Amino acid sequence: MTTTNPVRVRFAPSPTGHLHIGGVRTALFNYLFARHHKGVFILRIEDTDTSRSTDESIHGILEGLKWLGLNWDEGPFRQTDRLAIYRTHIDQLLAQGQAYHCYCSPDELDARRAEAMAKKQTPKYDGRCRDRKTPIPGRTPAVRLKAPQTGQTVVKDLIRGDVVFENSQLDDLILLRSDGNPTYNLCVVVDDAEMKISHVIRGDDHLNNTPRQLQMYEAFGYPPPQFAHVSMILGPDKARLSKRHGATSTLVYREMGYLPEALLNYLARLGWSSGDQEIFSLHEMVEKFSLDHVNSSAAIFNPDKLLWLNSHYIKTGDTTRLALLLRDHYLAEREPAARSIPDDQMIRIVKALQERAKTLAEMADLSMCYVEEEINPEPAAAAKYLTPAIKPALANLTKQLSALPRFDEPALPAAFEAIIAAHQLKMAQLAQPVRVALTGRTVSPGIYEVLALLGKERSLARLKKALDSIGG
RNA sequence: GGUCCCAUCGUCUAGCCCGGCCUAGGACGCCACCCUCUCAAGGUGGAGACACGGGUUCGAAUCCCGUUGGGACCA
């Protein structure tokens, strides 16, 4: 890249809903580009659509970005704080004769567009107010850009190459609605120019707006930024990712027990690559990120791969950090008393479970039997394994275990070996009943690990309770 | 409907710009086997793609054209 100007990029979400997965990827690419080039990452809230924008959404966006660690350097700016600036710019164009009042109502325009489409013509504004000299009484006009009608406008896109638009196909864009609100396109151009944005990295859905925006830069006399349009994220049905495809809200992924680094890693690899590498720390992404390797085709969101990445980060994550997250967020929500579990016990639980749980929410489920004082075995598991046939061996084992001076992992196998030898059992025939007695389930970490985790007292209590339940 | 974008295993992708090293590589998922006290994890192996049709060329996944399919935008 031969840019001599400092790199300044922005993420500019509309606060009309939660922070969407697709939005996060756009934010991430901007963030990575900024950090890679030692530039500035700006957050701007595009809230001019006051009927749909909410403060709740803004909070959600900020919280989501913070959770992911996508820290911004300037902002958040809000477009509703900048209305006067847009007004000034519109007035400037009006004064220069590069914009004009249009008295057509939205209804009329809709009707004409429908008619054009029915007649298979380009549904383009017909320019009937373009040279109007006098106002129409009783009507509040909108303001339109007087765009060039001949020639071409070329978007030099960093991802897609040159995209050529015939000016004759582009109509005169509305800058100010008749209700007094500036339009998206106007605000974006004014803000990007005023904020000295060097690279606009945004969704593919804005590619068609870009030539019109370029015309506005021209009209204002601003140098345009460089553009990079990233393709959309699609659902499994290849339609644009939306709520009906399941979770699309970033914060919901946090609730489901995903780690920020997993989500970031997944989203980075969706559309961007660096050879065959799959696992990237945020630091590595910053180091290696380049728009050159951003794919131009749309990508389908694949929850399985995200889940795999999450399990990878759980397996390899720092156990102390995971332990505190697990206890204070996911466990505390289920069982408030969990807050008082000592750190070192939490760390042991994490170590036992981190190769088995793909999310922290799942880990919370799996850890409940080590958190609660007493458990009730699943009926099916108890029926299958806590049988009269195994009772003698189980009773014998309990006796042996209770006699153990030490109750740590190295001390336990000898007791098991003695019992299976004495009762002519296979290890599985003894371990499974013990597992059910201790955890209530047929699935758990290694049996010695479980015993050590529960400690002597709770282990023996659960074994005795199981023994009693068998009867006879 | 117009305009614009896109097209390699089911999915994410490498390769494409600068044709031959591609009998197309990796990852997720799937299947099998190994390991094993259960479940995972881990290990080994397997099935699986250049949308189609023309061209250019000694040679095309790679360049060109068309078709088909998908997507986006049009206060």
Side-chain angles (χ1 to χ4, degrees), chain A residues 21 28 38 100 172 194 205 316 355 363 398 421 427 464:
Chain A
I21 281 294
L28 175 62
K38 310 257 184 290
Y100 60 92
D172 289 348
E194 291 268 307
D205 44 343
T316 56
E355 289 197 341
M363 194 184 282
T398 308
M427 185 58 184
K464 282 174 184 148

Side-chain angles (χ1 to χ4, degrees), chain A residues 394 398 401 434 437-438 458-467:
Chain A
L394 218 45
T398 308
L401 291 176
V434 173
L438 295 177
R458 264 196 300 176
S459 295
L460 292 175
R462 290 184 186 186
L463 281 167
K464 282 174 184 148
K465 183 177 168 189
L467 247 13

